[in-house]
Amino acid sequence: MLDIAYIRNNPQEVAEKLARRGFEIDFAEFLEADARRRALMHENEESKAERNRQSAQIPVIKKEGGDVSAWTARLRELSDRIKENDILINTMAEEQLEFLRAIPNIPSDDIPAGGKENNEVVSVWGEPIPVDASMKNHVELVESTGMIDYERGAKLSGSGFWIYRGAGAVLEWALLNYFINDHLNDGYEMLLTPHILNYSCGYVGGQFPKFEEDVFQIRGGGDEFQFILPTAETALTNIHADEILAEEELPKKYFAYTPCYRREAGSYRANERGMIRGHQFNKVEMFQYTRPEDSEEAFAELVRKAGRLVEGLGLAHRISMLAAGDCSAGMRKTFDIEIWIPSMQIYKEVSSVSTAGDYQARRGSIRFRRAETGKVEFCHTLNGSGLATSRVIPAIVEQCQQPDGSIIVPEVLKPWMHGIDVIRPIGEGHA
RNA sequence: GGAGAAGUACCCAAGAGGUCGAAGGGGACGGUUUGCUAAACCGUUAGUGGGGGUAACUCCAGCGAGGGUUCAAAUCCCUCCUUCUCCGCCA
Protein backbone atom coordinates (compact mmCIF):
# COMPACT_ATOMS: atom_id res chain seq x y z
CA MET A 1 0.00 0.00 0.00
CA LEU A 2 1.25 3.45 -0.84
CA ASP A 3 1.56 6.29 1.63
CA ILE A 4 -1.60 8.36 1.41
CA ALA A 5 0.19 11.46 2.67
CA TYR A 6 2.69 11.11 -0.13
CA ILE A 7 -0.09 10.80 -2.69
CA ARG A 8 -1.77 13.90 -1.30
CA ASN A 9 1.39 15.93 -1.72
CA ASN A 10 2.65 14.47 -4.99
CA PRO A 11 -0.29 13.08 -6.96
CA GLN A 12 1.23 13.96 -10.32
CA GLU A 13 4.57 12.37 -9.57
CA VAL A 14 2.98 9.17 -8.26
CA ALA A 15 0.76 8.88 -11.34
CA GLU A 16 3.73 9.38 -13.65
CA LYS A 17 5.82 6.77 -11.89
CA LEU A 18 2.98 4.27 -11.91
CA ALA A 19 2.58 4.84 -15.62
CA ARG A 20 6.06 3.36 -16.05
CA ARG A 21 4.57 0.00 -15.14
CA GLY A 22 1.57 0.56 -17.35
CA PHE A 23 -0.79 1.52 -14.54
CA GLU A 24 -2.95 4.51 -15.42
CA ILE A 25 -4.50 6.43 -12.58
CA ASP A 26 -6.02 9.79 -11.84
CA PHE A 27 -6.08 10.88 -8.22
CA ALA A 28 -8.34 13.94 -8.60
CA GLU A 29 -11.56 12.30 -7.49
CA PHE A 30 -9.85 10.32 -4.78
CA LEU A 31 -8.21 13.39 -3.26
CA GLU A 32 -11.45 15.29 -3.35
CA ALA A 33 -13.20 12.53 -1.41
CA ASP A 34 -10.25 12.40 0.95
CA ALA A 35 -10.60 16.10 1.72
CA ARG A 36 -14.33 15.68 2.27
CA ARG A 37 -13.72 12.76 4.58
CA ARG A 38 -11.23 14.66 6.67
CA ALA A 39 -13.46 17.70 6.95
CA LEU A 40 -16.31 15.53 8.15
CA MET A 41 -14.00 13.79 10.55
CA HIS A 42 -12.86 17.06 12.00
CA GLU A 43 -16.41 18.20 12.50
CA ASN A 44 -17.43 14.93 14.09
CA GLU A 45 -14.49 14.89 16.45
CA GLU A 46 -15.42 18.32 17.68
CA SER A 47 -18.91 16.99 18.34
CA LYS A 48 -17.38 14.14 20.29
CA ALA A 49 -15.30 16.53 22.33
CA GLU A 50 -18.46 18.49 23.07
CA ARG A 51 -20.30 15.35 24.08
CA ASN A 52 -17.47 14.30 26.35
CA ARG A 53 -17.48 17.69 28.04
CA GLN A 54 -21.22 17.82 28.58
CA SER A 55 -21.48 14.22 29.60
CA ALA A 56 -19.01 14.84 32.38
CA GLN A 57 -21.41 17.41 33.83
CA ILE A 58 -24.20 14.93 34.32
CA PRO A 59 -22.81 13.15 37.38
CA VAL A 60 -22.03 16.55 38.91
CA ILE A 61 -25.60 17.74 38.46
CA LYS A 62 -26.95 14.46 39.71
CA LYS A 63 -24.90 14.72 42.85
CA GLU A 64 -26.38 18.15 43.53
CA GLY A 65 -29.79 16.59 43.12
CA GLY A 66 -30.51 18.42 39.86
CA ASP A 67 -32.63 17.20 36.99
CA VAL A 68 -30.65 15.83 34.06
CA SER A 69 -33.44 14.89 31.68
CA ALA A 70 -32.96 18.02 29.57
CA TRP A 71 -29.24 17.24 29.25
CA THR A 72 -29.72 13.64 28.29
CA ALA A 73 -32.30 14.54 25.69
CA ARG A 74 -30.00 17.05 24.08
CA LEU A 75 -27.01 14.74 24.26
CA ARG A 76 -29.02 11.92 22.81
CA GLU A 77 -29.54 14.01 19.70
CA LEU A 78 -25.88 14.91 19.52
CA SER A 79 -24.92 11.30 20.00
CA ASP A 80 -27.22 10.15 17.23
CA ARG A 81 -25.70 12.66 14.85
CA ILE A 82 -22.22 11.49 15.80
CA LYS A 83 -23.18 7.91 15.11
CA GLU A 84 -24.56 8.75 11.70
CA ASN A 85 -21.43 10.63 10.79
CA ASP A 86 -19.23 7.81 12.05
CA ILE A 87 -20.99 5.41 9.74
CA LEU A 88 -20.51 7.78 6.84
CA ILE A 89 -16.86 8.34 7.69
CA ASN A 90 -16.22 4.62 7.99
CA THR A 91 -17.81 3.96 4.65
CA MET A 92 -15.65 6.63 3.07
CA ALA A 93 -12.55 5.25 4.77
CA GLU A 94 -13.31 1.78 3.49
CA GLU A 95 -13.78 3.01 -0.05
CA GLN A 96 -10.53 4.87 0.25
CA LEU A 97 -8.72 1.82 1.53
CA GLU A 98 -10.10 -0.29 -1.26
CA PHE A 99 -8.86 2.24 -3.77
CA LEU A 100 -5.42 2.41 -2.17
CA ARG A 101 -5.07 -1.33 -1.96
CA ALA A 102 -5.65 -1.68 -5.66
CA ILE A 103 -2.71 0.59 -6.48
CA PRO A 104 0.53 -1.30 -7.19
CA ASN A 105 3.88 -0.29 -5.79
CA ILE A 106 5.84 2.57 -7.31
CA PRO A 107 8.58 1.00 -9.43
CA SER A 108 12.15 1.83 -8.62
CA ASP A 109 13.66 4.61 -10.76
CA ASP A 110 16.58 2.46 -11.81
CA ILE A 111 14.59 -0.18 -13.66
CA PRO A 112 13.32 0.09 -17.23
CA ALA A 113 9.75 1.20 -17.88
CA GLY A 114 7.30 -0.90 -19.86
CA GLY A 115 6.57 -4.61 -20.04
CA LYS A 116 8.45 -7.88 -20.30
CA GLU A 117 10.00 -6.94 -23.65
CA ASN A 118 12.08 -4.32 -21.83
CA ASN A 119 13.63 -6.72 -19.34
CA GLU A 120 17.40 -6.39 -19.35
CA VAL A 121 19.90 -9.18 -18.98
CA VAL A 122 22.33 -8.09 -16.28
CA SER A 123 24.79 -10.97 -16.42
CA VAL A 124 25.26 -14.37 -18.03
CA TRP A 125 27.10 -17.29 -16.48
CA GLY A 126 28.09 -20.41 -18.41
CA GLU A 127 27.36 -21.46 -21.97
CA PRO A 128 23.81 -22.09 -23.10
CA ILE A 129 24.04 -25.68 -24.27
CA PRO A 130 22.84 -26.00 -27.87
CA VAL A 131 20.13 -28.44 -28.78
CA ASP A 132 21.28 -31.84 -29.87
CA ALA A 133 19.10 -34.60 -31.26
CA SER A 134 20.72 -37.21 -29.05
CA MET A 135 19.89 -35.30 -25.87
CA LYS A 136 16.91 -36.17 -23.82
CA ASN A 137 14.58 -33.72 -22.14
CA HIS A 138 14.14 -33.70 -18.40
CA VAL A 139 10.86 -35.57 -18.42
CA GLU A 140 12.42 -38.49 -20.27
CA LEU A 141 15.49 -38.35 -18.07
CA VAL A 142 13.77 -38.32 -14.69
CA GLU A 143 11.51 -41.13 -15.81
CA SER A 144 14.23 -43.30 -17.33
CA THR A 145 16.33 -42.94 -14.20
CA GLY A 146 13.36 -43.55 -11.91
CA MET A 147 13.90 -40.24 -10.11
CA ILE A 148 10.31 -39.13 -10.53
CA ASP A 149 7.15 -41.18 -10.70
CA TYR A 150 4.57 -39.06 -12.47
CA GLU A 151 2.06 -41.81 -12.98
CA ARG A 152 1.70 -42.79 -9.36
CA GLY A 153 1.77 -39.14 -8.30
CA ALA A 154 -1.26 -38.57 -10.48
CA LYS A 155 -2.87 -41.71 -9.07
CA LEU A 156 -2.65 -40.28 -5.58
CA SER A 157 -3.51 -36.67 -6.26
CA GLY A 158 -4.32 -35.97 -9.89
CA SER A 159 -2.28 -34.35 -12.61
CA GLY A 160 0.40 -31.88 -11.64
CA PHE A 161 1.58 -34.02 -8.73
CA TRP A 162 4.52 -36.38 -8.75
CA ILE A 163 6.56 -38.57 -6.44
CA TYR A 164 10.28 -38.16 -5.96
CA ARG A 165 11.80 -41.53 -5.39
CA GLY A 166 15.12 -43.22 -4.88
CA ALA A 167 18.02 -41.19 -6.18
CA GLY A 168 15.56 -38.48 -7.25
CA ALA A 169 14.31 -38.00 -3.72
CA VAL A 170 17.87 -38.05 -2.39
CA LEU A 171 18.92 -35.47 -4.98
CA GLU A 172 15.95 -33.26 -4.14
CA TRP A 173 16.79 -33.38 -0.45
CA ALA A 174 20.48 -32.82 -1.12
CA LEU A 175 19.63 -29.67 -3.05
CA LEU A 176 17.58 -28.36 -0.18
CA ASN A 177 20.40 -29.12 2.23
CA TYR A 178 22.85 -27.34 -0.04
CA PHE A 179 20.66 -24.24 0.00
CA ILE A 180 20.02 -24.40 3.74
CA ASN A 181 23.70 -24.84 4.42
CA ASP A 182 24.54 -21.72 2.43
CA HIS A 183 22.01 -19.58 4.28
CA LEU A 184 23.09 -20.84 7.67
CA ASN A 185 26.69 -20.01 6.77
CA ASP A 186 25.57 -16.49 5.95
CA GLY A 187 23.94 -16.08 9.33
CA TYR A 188 20.33 -16.32 8.26
CA GLU A 189 17.87 -17.67 10.81
CA MET A 190 16.11 -20.86 9.74
CA LEU A 191 12.34 -21.04 10.13
CA LEU A 192 9.91 -23.88 9.61
CA THR A 193 6.53 -22.21 9.46
CA PRO A 194 2.97 -23.49 9.41
CA HIS A 195 1.83 -24.39 5.91
CA ILE A 196 -1.76 -23.41 6.51
CA LEU A 197 -2.21 -19.67 6.85
CA ASN A 198 -5.01 -17.32 7.81
CA TYR A 199 -6.66 -15.18 5.17
CA SER A 200 -5.04 -12.00 6.44
CA CYS A 201 -1.58 -13.40 5.61
CA GLY A 202 -2.53 -13.50 1.97
CA TYR A 203 -3.68 -9.94 2.13
CA VAL A 204 -0.55 -8.54 3.77
CA GLY A 205 1.64 -10.46 1.37
CA GLY A 206 -0.19 -8.74 -1.45
CA GLN A 207 -1.49 -11.94 -3.01
CA PHE A 208 -5.10 -11.36 -2.02
CA PRO A 209 -7.68 -10.59 -3.12
CA LYS A 210 -6.26 -10.90 -6.64
CA PHE A 211 -4.90 -14.45 -6.33
CA GLU A 212 -7.53 -15.94 -4.03
CA GLU A 213 -8.46 -18.47 -6.69
CA ASP A 214 -4.87 -19.57 -7.23
CA VAL A 215 -4.37 -21.06 -3.79
CA PHE A 216 -5.82 -24.17 -2.22
CA GLN A 217 -8.45 -22.89 0.15
CA ILE A 218 -9.47 -24.55 3.36
CA ARG A 219 -12.94 -23.63 4.42
CA GLY A 220 -14.25 -23.85 7.95
CA GLY A 221 -17.48 -22.35 9.14
CA GLY A 222 -16.81 -18.65 8.65
CA ASP A 223 -16.60 -16.32 5.69
CA GLU A 224 -12.85 -16.15 5.67
CA PHE A 225 -10.86 -19.13 4.63
CA GLN A 226 -7.44 -20.44 5.45
CA PHE A 227 -5.18 -21.55 2.65
CA ILE A 228 -2.16 -23.71 2.03
CA LEU A 229 0.74 -21.42 1.34
CA PRO A 230 1.74 -20.84 -2.28
CA THR A 231 5.20 -19.70 -1.16
CA ALA A 232 6.93 -19.30 2.18
CA GLU A 233 7.12 -15.60 1.39
CA THR A 234 3.50 -15.33 2.48
CA ALA A 235 4.39 -16.66 5.92
CA LEU A 236 7.64 -14.72 6.22
CA THR A 237 6.02 -11.42 5.31
CA ASN A 238 3.56 -11.85 8.13
CA ILE A 239 5.62 -12.94 11.07
CA HIS A 240 6.26 -9.39 12.22
CA ALA A 241 2.91 -7.94 11.22
CA ASP A 242 1.60 -5.38 13.72
CA GLU A 243 4.93 -5.25 15.50
CA ILE A 244 7.40 -2.52 16.26
CA LEU A 245 10.91 -3.93 16.08
CA ALA A 246 13.94 -2.42 17.75
CA GLU A 247 16.38 -0.83 15.34
CA GLU A 248 19.19 -3.06 16.66
CA GLU A 249 17.23 -6.13 15.55
CA LEU A 250 17.49 -5.06 11.93
CA PRO A 251 18.29 -6.38 9.47
CA LYS A 252 16.40 -9.56 10.22
CA LYS A 253 17.56 -12.25 7.85
CA TYR A 254 15.38 -15.30 7.59
CA PHE A 255 14.99 -18.31 5.39
CA ALA A 256 12.36 -21.01 5.40
CA TYR A 257 11.89 -24.28 3.64
CA THR A 258 8.35 -25.18 2.71
CA PRO A 259 6.63 -26.99 -0.07
CA CYS A 260 4.62 -24.50 -2.15
CA TYR A 261 1.11 -25.30 -3.22
CA ARG A 262 -0.51 -23.68 -6.24
CA ARG A 263 -3.62 -24.49 -8.17
CA GLU A 264 -2.14 -23.44 -11.50
CA ALA A 265 -5.60 -23.77 -12.97
CA GLY A 266 -5.94 -24.23 -16.69
CA SER A 267 -4.03 -26.55 -18.95
CA TYR A 268 -0.28 -26.43 -19.25
CA ARG A 269 1.33 -25.54 -22.45
CA ALA A 270 3.04 -28.53 -23.97
CA ASN A 271 6.48 -27.19 -23.17
CA GLU A 272 5.67 -26.88 -19.51
CA ARG A 273 5.35 -30.58 -19.01
CA GLY A 274 7.03 -32.33 -16.20
CA MET A 275 8.29 -30.36 -13.28
CA ILE A 276 8.36 -26.92 -14.76
CA ARG A 277 4.94 -26.25 -13.34
CA GLY A 278 3.27 -28.36 -10.68
CA HIS A 279 0.77 -28.01 -7.86
CA GLN A 280 3.39 -28.73 -5.24
CA PHE A 281 7.07 -28.00 -5.29
CA ASN A 282 9.86 -27.48 -2.78
CA LYS A 283 11.42 -24.12 -2.20
CA VAL A 284 13.73 -22.40 0.23
CA GLU A 285 12.79 -18.77 0.57
CA MET A 286 15.06 -15.97 1.78
CA PHE A 287 13.57 -12.94 3.45
CA GLN A 288 14.89 -9.75 5.01
CA TYR A 289 13.46 -6.96 7.10
CA THR A 290 15.70 -3.90 6.91
CA ARG A 291 15.90 -0.21 7.66
CA PRO A 292 14.95 1.82 4.59
CA GLU A 293 18.53 2.94 4.00
CA ASP A 294 19.80 -0.66 4.01
CA SER A 295 17.39 -2.26 1.58
CA GLU A 296 19.44 -1.59 -1.57
CA GLU A 297 22.43 -3.44 -0.18
CA ALA A 298 20.17 -6.22 1.09
CA PHE A 299 18.69 -6.55 -2.38
CA ALA A 300 22.15 -6.88 -3.90
CA GLU A 301 23.03 -9.49 -1.29
CA LEU A 302 19.98 -11.61 -2.08
CA VAL A 303 20.64 -11.46 -5.81
CA ARG A 304 24.26 -12.41 -5.17
CA LYS A 305 23.26 -15.33 -2.98
CA ALA A 306 20.71 -16.72 -5.42
CA GLY A 307 23.17 -16.45 -8.31
CA ARG A 308 25.93 -18.06 -6.30
CA LEU A 309 23.76 -21.07 -5.48
CA VAL A 310 23.17 -21.78 -9.17
CA GLU A 311 26.80 -21.12 -9.95
CA GLY A 312 27.87 -23.58 -7.27
CA LEU A 313 25.90 -26.27 -9.09
CA GLY A 314 27.80 -25.38 -12.24
CA LEU A 315 24.63 -24.65 -14.20
CA ALA A 316 24.40 -22.15 -17.04
CA HIS A 317 22.16 -19.26 -16.09
CA ARG A 318 21.67 -15.54 -16.35
CA ILE A 319 20.32 -12.73 -14.25
CA SER A 320 17.61 -10.42 -15.62
CA MET A 321 16.38 -7.10 -14.37
CA LEU A 322 12.63 -6.99 -14.85
CA ALA A 323 10.97 -4.01 -16.42
CA ALA A 324 8.49 -2.12 -14.26
CA GLY A 325 5.46 -3.75 -15.83
CA ASP A 326 6.82 -7.27 -15.30
CA CYS A 327 7.38 -6.89 -11.56
CA SER A 328 4.57 -8.18 -9.41
CA ALA A 329 2.24 -5.54 -8.05
CA GLY A 330 3.75 -5.22 -4.59
CA MET A 331 7.34 -4.91 -5.72
CA ARG A 332 9.53 -1.95 -6.56
CA LYS A 333 12.23 -3.96 -8.25
CA THR A 334 12.77 -7.57 -9.22
CA PHE A 335 15.74 -9.51 -10.54
CA ASP A 336 15.17 -13.02 -11.86
CA ILE A 337 17.80 -15.74 -11.84
CA GLU A 338 17.05 -17.83 -14.92
CA ILE A 339 18.48 -21.23 -15.60
CA TRP A 340 19.15 -22.73 -19.01
CA ILE A 341 16.87 -25.59 -19.99
CA PRO A 342 18.54 -27.15 -23.07
CA SER A 343 15.49 -29.05 -24.32
CA MET A 344 13.44 -25.86 -24.32
CA GLN A 345 16.31 -23.66 -25.49
CA ILE A 346 15.24 -20.97 -23.10
CA TYR A 347 16.14 -19.62 -19.69
CA LYS A 348 13.59 -20.44 -16.99
CA GLU A 349 13.17 -18.59 -13.72
CA VAL A 350 14.59 -20.40 -10.67
CA SER A 351 14.64 -17.46 -8.37
CA SER A 352 12.95 -14.12 -8.19
CA VAL A 353 14.51 -11.57 -5.87
CA SER A 354 12.39 -8.55 -5.06
CA THR A 355 12.28 -5.55 -2.85
CA ALA A 356 8.90 -4.27 -1.73
CA GLY A 357 10.25 -1.12 -0.12
CA ASP A 358 7.74 -0.19 2.56
CA TYR A 359 4.74 -1.38 0.52
CA GLN A 360 4.20 -4.67 2.35
CA ALA A 361 5.20 -3.10 5.65
CA ARG A 362 2.38 -0.58 5.31
CA ARG A 363 -0.15 -3.30 4.59
CA GLY A 364 1.01 -5.35 7.52
CA SER A 365 2.00 -2.50 9.82
CA ILE A 366 5.56 -3.75 10.21
CA ARG A 367 7.63 -1.01 11.86
CA PHE A 368 10.77 -0.33 13.82
CA ARG A 369 11.76 2.31 16.31
CA ARG A 370 14.65 4.48 15.23
CA ALA A 371 17.00 4.55 18.20
CA GLU A 372 18.26 8.07 17.59
CA THR A 373 14.89 9.78 17.31
CA GLY A 374 12.59 7.36 19.10
CA LYS A 375 10.31 7.65 16.08
CA VAL A 376 8.51 4.72 14.51
CA GLU A 377 9.16 4.03 10.83
CA PHE A 378 8.14 1.35 8.36
CA CYS A 379 10.61 -1.42 7.62
CA HIS A 380 11.55 -2.46 4.14
CA THR A 381 10.89 -6.06 3.18
CA LEU A 382 12.74 -8.13 0.61
CA ASN A 383 12.36 -11.66 -0.54
CA GLY A 384 14.02 -14.05 -2.90
CA SER A 385 13.86 -17.73 -3.63
CA GLY A 386 17.02 -19.44 -2.64
CA LEU A 387 16.03 -21.60 -4.48
CA ALA A 388 13.05 -23.47 -5.89
CA THR A 389 14.05 -27.02 -6.80
CA SER A 390 11.39 -27.64 -9.41
CA ARG A 391 13.40 -25.97 -12.14
CA VAL A 392 16.83 -26.76 -10.79
CA ILE A 393 16.27 -30.50 -11.12
CA PRO A 394 15.28 -30.24 -14.82
CA ALA A 395 18.34 -28.07 -15.42
CA ILE A 396 20.62 -30.49 -13.58
CA VAL A 397 19.38 -33.59 -15.37
CA GLU A 398 19.49 -31.93 -18.76
CA GLN A 399 22.73 -30.00 -18.36
CA CYS A 400 24.54 -32.88 -16.62
CA GLN A 401 23.29 -35.74 -18.78
CA GLN A 402 25.78 -38.08 -20.46
CA PRO A 403 25.37 -39.76 -23.84
CA ASP A 404 24.45 -43.03 -22.08
CA GLY A 405 21.50 -41.35 -20.35
CA SER A 406 23.17 -41.15 -16.95
CA ILE A 407 23.36 -37.96 -14.94
CA ILE A 408 26.44 -36.72 -13.13
CA VAL A 409 25.55 -35.26 -9.74
CA PRO A 410 27.02 -31.79 -9.16
CA GLU A 411 30.06 -31.96 -6.93
CA VAL A 412 28.68 -29.57 -4.39
CA LEU A 413 25.81 -31.92 -3.51
CA LYS A 414 28.08 -34.86 -2.66
CA PRO A 415 27.97 -34.38 1.12
CA TRP A 416 24.28 -35.26 1.08
CA MET A 417 24.16 -37.85 -1.73
CA HIS A 418 25.08 -40.91 0.29
CA GLY A 419 27.69 -41.95 -2.23
CA ILE A 420 25.54 -41.52 -5.32
CA ASP A 421 27.62 -39.55 -7.81
CA VAL A 422 26.04 -40.78 -11.01
CA ILE A 423 22.35 -41.48 -11.47
CA ARG A 424 21.87 -44.20 -14.10
CA PRO A 425 18.90 -45.29 -16.16
CA ILE A 426 17.03 -48.22 -14.73
CA GLY A 427 15.87 -51.20 -16.77
CA GLU A 428 12.34 -51.68 -18.05
CA GLY A 429 9.93 -53.22 -15.61
CA HIS A 430 11.94 -51.97 -12.70
CA ALA A 431 9.15 -49.81 -11.41
C1' G B 1 -15.40 -32.74 19.68
C1' G B 2 -17.49 -31.50 25.00
C1' A B 3 -17.17 -28.55 29.79
C1' G B 4 -15.10 -24.67 32.50
C1' A B 5 -11.60 -20.25 33.48
C1' A B 6 -8.96 -16.16 31.76
C1' G B 7 -7.24 -12.09 28.31
C1' U B 8 -6.00 -4.48 31.33
C1' A B 9 0.29 -0.81 29.73
C1' C B 10 7.58 -3.74 29.40
C1' C B 11 5.95 -7.65 33.42
C1' C B 12 2.52 -8.81 37.59
C1' A B 13 -2.02 -6.83 39.03
C1' A B 14 -6.60 -3.68 40.99
C1' G B 15 -10.98 -2.15 38.81
C1' A B 16 -17.08 -3.80 38.30
C1' G B 17 -21.68 2.44 34.38
C1' G B 18 -19.68 8.68 35.43
C1' U B 19 -12.57 13.39 36.47
C1' C B 20 -10.39 5.73 34.77
C1' G B 21 -6.15 7.00 29.84
C1' A B 22 -6.88 3.51 34.17
C1' A B 23 -4.82 2.15 41.76
C1' G B 24 -0.67 -0.67 43.51
C1' G B 25 3.79 -3.43 42.81
C1' G B 26 8.05 -4.91 39.84
C1' G B 27 11.32 -3.51 35.98
C1' A B 28 13.68 0.35 33.23
C1' C B 29 15.56 5.28 33.16
C1' G B 30 17.08 9.94 35.85
C1' G B 31 18.40 12.06 40.60
C1' U B 32 19.67 12.56 46.11
C1' U B 33 22.71 10.09 49.65
C1' U B 34 27.56 7.31 49.17
C1' G B 35 34.99 5.85 49.51
C1' C B 36 32.76 1.65 46.19
C1' U B 37 28.61 -1.57 46.00
C1' A B 38 24.03 -2.43 48.14
C1' A B 39 19.99 -0.24 50.49
C1' A B 40 16.83 3.86 51.26
C1' C B 41 14.43 8.10 49.42
C1' C B 42 12.63 11.42 45.31
C1' G B 43 11.20 11.71 40.27
C1' U B 44 10.06 9.95 35.15
C1' U B 45 8.05 5.98 32.37
C1' A B 46 1.18 4.34 26.89
C1' G B 47 3.33 2.92 23.36
C1' U B 48 0.20 3.61 19.05
C1' G B 49 -3.31 5.14 15.09
C1' G B 50 -5.84 9.36 13.25
C1' G B 51 -7.74 14.71 12.82
C1' G B 52 -6.59 20.28 13.17
C1' G B 53 -2.40 23.86 13.49
C1' U B 54 3.75 27.03 10.38
C1' A B 55 4.37 26.04 15.51
C1' A B 56 3.81 25.85 20.89
C1' C B 57 -0.11 22.85 21.15
C1' U B 58 -4.81 20.60 20.81
C1' C B 59 -8.73 17.15 19.85
C1' C B 60 -10.56 12.03 18.71
C1' A B 61 -9.95 6.72 19.11
C1' G B 62 -7.71 3.03 22.04
C1' C B 63 -8.28 -1.96 28.56
C1' G B 64 -7.80 -9.41 23.12
C1' A B 65 -10.97 -8.15 18.16
C1' G B 66 -15.68 -6.64 16.18
C1' G B 67 -20.67 -5.20 17.10
C1' G B 68 -24.75 -3.53 20.54
C1' U B 69 -27.23 -0.98 24.92
C1' U B 70 -26.56 4.10 27.27
C1' C B 71 -26.27 11.13 27.66
C1' A B 72 -21.87 8.17 29.37
C1' A B 73 -18.72 1.47 28.87
C1' A B 74 -12.35 -1.48 30.96
C1' U B 75 -17.05 -2.13 33.57
C1' C B 76 -23.70 -4.52 30.98
C1' C B 77 -25.24 -7.68 26.35
C1' C B 78 -23.91 -10.49 21.65
C1' U B 79 -20.31 -12.70 18.17
C1' C B 80 -15.40 -14.07 17.26
C1' C B 81 -10.08 -14.97 18.42
C1' U B 82 -6.24 -16.61 21.69
C1' U B 83 -4.36 -19.00 26.15
C1' C B 84 -4.94 -22.36 30.32
C1' U B 85 -7.47 -26.65 32.99
C1' C B 86 -10.46 -31.11 32.78
C1' C B 87 -12.97 -34.97 29.68
C1' G B 88 -13.21 -37.46 24.91
C1' C B 89 -10.54 -38.77 20.38
C1' C B 90 -5.71 -40.09 18.84
C1' A B 91 -4.56 -43.37 11.69
Side-chain angles (χ1 to χ4, degrees), chain A residues 68-88:
Chain A
V68 296
S69 57
W71 286 74
T72 56
R74 200 170 59 241
L75 283 177
R76 159 145 221 139
E77 254 176 64
L78 183 61
S79 231
D80 284 347
R81 205 159 59 237
I82 288 171
K83 245 172 242 175
E84 274 171 37
N85 282 338
D86 266 339
I87 291 170
L88 198 57

Side-chain angles (χ1 to χ4, degrees), chain A residues 112-341:
Chain A
K116 233 188 193 101
E117 64 285 356
N118 293 344
N119 292 357
E120 285 175 18
V121 175
V122 174
S123 65
V124 180
W125 192 94
E127 286 292 311
I129 298 160
V131 76
D132 172 343
S134 70
M135 278 172 51
K136 292 182 173 151
N137 69 37
H138 71 273
V139 179
E140 296 165 330
L141 286 163
V142 296
E143 284 183 325
S144 62
T145 52
M147 292 169 64
I148 307 278
D149 190 335
Y150 286 109
E151 227 169 273
R152 293 195 177 88
K155 179 158 73 180
L156 298 184
S157 309
S159 80
F161 292 95
W162 55 78
I163 301 171
Y164 295 91
R165 53 190 301 180
V170 174
L171 180 67
E172 175 78 2
W173 214 244
L175 267 176
L176 294 167
N177 275 304
Y178 162 60
F179 302 153
I180 288 169
N181 192 51
D182 186 79
H183 303 322
L184 287 174
N185 283 342
D186 286 340
Y188 283 60
E189 182 181 345
M190 181 169 177
L191 300 177
L192 294 171
T193 70
H195 297 178
I196 297 174
L197 303 176
N198 291 327
Y199 182 90
S200 70
C201 294
Y203 166 70
V204 170
Q207 286 99 348
F208 293 172
K210 196 173 170 194
F211 294 119
E212 281 179 13
E213 299 308 315
D214 297 336
V215 298
F216 291 99
Q217 303 180 2
I218 297 175
R219 298 233 168 229
D223 295 340
E224 289 199 341
F225 57 85
Q226 291 185 309
F227 61 99
I228 317 183
L229 49 71
T231 157
E233 181 200 337
T234 315
L236 294 173
T237 313
N238 278 280
I239 54 182
H240 293 299
D242 296 314
E243 288 184 24
I244 300 175
L245 302 167
E247 186 177 359
E248 311 85 85
E249 293 180 82
L250 301 178
K252 279 200 172 287
K253 301 182 177 186
Y254 293 126
F255 75 95
Y257 156 72
T258 68
C260 302
Y261 303 90
R262 302 183 181 178
R263 293 181 60 86
E264 305 287 5
S267 65
Y268 306 132
R269 279 166 291 176
N271 65 356
E272 292 196 335
R273 283 191 61 216
M275 307 173 56
I276 296 298
R277 203 178 277 275
H279 294 306
Q280 175 186 323
F281 60 93
N282 291 315
K283 179 157 69 71
V284 174
E285 180 78 6
M286 310 179 282
F287 202 94
Q288 287 205 31
Y289 292 84
T290 72
R291 300 184 302 177
E293 63 268 36
D294 300 329
S295 68
E296 271 305 308
E297 173 46 36
F299 181 76
E301 176 182 308
L302 292 177
V303 172
R304 215 159 44 230
K305 277 175 66 64
R308 200 177 59 205
L309 286 173
V310 181
E311 208 175 304
L313 292 165
L315 301 173
H317 66 282
R318 68 178 190 190
I319 299 178
S320 289
M321 169 163 62
L322 302 196
D326 202 23
C327 296
S328 54
M331 299 303 162
R332 303 178 61 114
K333 175 155 71 170
T334 298
F335 278 22
D336 276 359
I337 286 74
E338 300 164 321
I339 206 162
W340 181 250
I341 307 286

Side-chain angles (χ1 to χ4, degrees), chain A residues 379-401:
Chain A
C379 296
H380 279 196
T381 57
L382 305 98
N383 71 281
S385 8
L387 302 165
T389 61
S390 53
R391 286 174 186 170
V392 176
I393 296 261
I396 288 177
V397 299
E398 289 195 16
Q399 290 196 29
C400 303
Q401 66 178 299

